[in-house]
Amino acid sequence: MSTPERQTDIGPPHYEKFLHPVIKKNYGKWKYHEILSPGHMVHVSESGEKIFTVRIASPRLLSTDTIREYCAIAKKHSEGFLRFTTRNNVEFFATTEDGAKALMADLKSKGYMMGGIGPRISNVVHTQGWVHCHSAATDASGIVKALMDELAEYFTTKELQNRVRLAVACCVNMCGAVHCSDIAIVGVHKTPPRIDHENVKNACEVPSTIGSCPTSAISPDPTKKSVKIKLEKCMYCGNCYSVCPAMPISDAENDGVAIVVGGKVANLRTPPKFSRLAVPWIPNEPPRWPKVVAAVKTILDAYIKGARKHERVGEWVDRIGWESFFKETGLEFKIQHIDDFTFARETFRTSASFKWT
Ligand code: SF4
Ligand code: SF4
């Protein structure tokens, strides 16, 4: 039966339109794939047809010049096709080994970093940060630059036990994949929004501002024709500021980041996992965020030292137990690590035995 024509112009065009012809022809008929080098792999179809993929890290915030250059490379080597991965990598394609070699030589001559395929770190997925978003508690792209300068060899050459996905989100709204990445950094506010009562009544819709608060911390303040916040209920999420610009939350002195670990999307061997808190607080230290970079390196080094082959970060932590995680990394266990959230029952220990291994 033929696929019916789309009757709407709402939403993106059908993805098939953007598939390289060899991928389209062999869709769902791939026999195997092989990683030939850190940024180079081949897929072989049941018909014997091959497609070579070459992956580079993108600078994430892209200038039009860079995008034009990607397009020129795709036109020259990749029949006009390229692919942006969910982790900010860019992939080009070749149908022959010689074609892939010419593509890689061209990318190398232009200074692009090839890698990220297989048991390595990926390029870092991150959110907008100070560059654009109003509720950012930190600068996502600045941290990522500092981090990738330190970890680049785990993208380009060195192998790990398994892939390690990194992410940065610049507030707890987490537009990035922080909740499901192996090691992730999340921007944290530590002070409640400041209410500009004069502007609340001029610029904000009070019912929707009240409705925006996930903890019901906001209520009307009829005397001021504004709103008030019950401080003990506020979790500094910044949702109200998204709705009401007269409630800014950014605070240069008190904003910073937390580090969470062990999340993953894959359901290979173990089910997908949410990330858990490893470091509750590190202050913002632009432009190089030395403490954040050092903490991520400490976690990665402990994983490299202690994990078994094929273990993801979360699987390694589950096997050794959180007590050993803090012992192996030397990170401090703090009161913020104790989960006292209303729905914390699922995370409570159900046994009194500690797991020292
Ligand atoms: S994570 Fe928060 S601050 Fe960052 S882009 Fe998303 S909403 Fe904005
Ligand atoms: S910051 Fe979040 S929790 Fe606090 S008042 Fe605003 S919406 Fe509510």
Side-chain angles (χ1 to χ4, degrees), residues 126-130 132-138 140 168-176 186-187 189 237 239 242:
H126 74 80
T127 53
Q128 304 174 69
W130 291 333
H132 182 73
C133 192
H134 57 281
S135 57
T138 191
V168 180
C170 37
C171 85
V172 291
N173 286 322
M174 297 204 312
C175 307
V186 56
H189 297 290
C237 67
N239 262 12
S242 299

Side-chain angles (χ1 to χ4, degrees), residues 288-311:
R288 300 296 295 173
W289 276 271
K291 290 197 187 82
V292 176
V293 174
V296 171
K297 278 196 79 183
T298 299
I299 296 165
L300 190 65
D301 287 345
Y303 165 76
I304 291 167
K305 194 167 149 229
R308 293 177 183 157
K309 195 160 175 59
H310 302 307
E311 264 179 345

Side-chain angles (χ1 to χ4, degrees), residues 195 291 345:
I195 307 174
K291 290 197 187 82
R345 269 173 305 178

